[in-house]
Amino acid sequence: KYCGVKYAVAFSSGTAALHGACAVANIGKGDEVIVPTYTFVASANCVVYCQGTPVLVDVDPSTFCIDPQKVLKKITKKTKALISVDFAGRAADYGSLLKIIKKNKLILIEDASQALGGLWKGKGIGSYADMTIFSLHPVKSITTGEGGIVATNDRDYYDKLKRFRSHGIVKTQRDGPWYQEMQN
């Protein structure tokens, strides 16, 4: 509610949340995902976990966030998504990035692990990307000892994220409260 999103799915870590976001975005072999050079390794590893290729793009030295002009130069026919990283509570230039995303029909995954509670243009960080990741690691501003969250306004992503996190287990009331099915 605070971030202005309809859905949130808890994970065991921010890295697991990033992995889940890439998996439900259907990142796979042959897909390229643009990632900033200045970030924690999990921002690129989550692409590799899904057999995609991270494409590194330099950051703006005044913000330490991904440089939208440099993003434009790295987009190819294989580019499927962009992972932006909000550094030290500072949001990336989403005015420019959202235009690039829309024009090129890309998925935007925002790694807001260092920006929980932040705002961009008066809106909560987490409310404008397809999926936004928050980390609850001990070095973050809000911690549970460990954990991660994916926030989204997309019901399909929400359902897929819950299945991914829970190994495909879906509970139904079909045969009582303890009944479960494992699905893809």
Side-chain angles (χ1 to χ4, degrees), residues 94-158:
Y94 289 107
S96 298
L97 291 175
L98 289 169
K99 288 176 188 170
I100 293 168
I101 294 298
K102 186 175 181 179
K103 179 181 178 189
N104 293 281
K105 299 179 178 150
L106 303 176
I107 298 165
L108 176 58
I109 299 170
E110 177 186 13
D111 181 344
S113 294
Q114 293 187 6
L116 180 59
L119 299 172
W120 179 75
K121 301 240 181 204
K123 289 178 67 177
I125 287 179
S127 63
Y128 39 85
D130 295 296
M131 290 177 274
T132 301
I133 284 67
F134 297 106
S135 173
L136 304 172
H137 186 272
V139 300
K140 303 303 187 242
S141 56
I142 296 177
T143 182
T144 59
E146 187 58 273
I149 297 168
V150 180
T152 184
N153 280 315
D154 186 296
R155 178 64 193 227
D156 188 50
Y157 282 147
Y158 171 68

Side-chain angles (χ1 to χ4, degrees), residues 8 32 34 39 45 57 77 81 85 105 114 119 124-125 128-129 131 142 156 158 166 169 181:
E32 294 178 350
I34 295 174
T39 185
N45 280 350
V57 172
K77 288 186 236 173
V85 176
K105 299 179 178 150
Q114 293 187 6
L119 299 172
I125 287 179
Y128 39 85
M131 290 177 274
I142 296 177
D156 188 50
Y158 171 68
S166 302
I169 295 171
E181 287 185 11

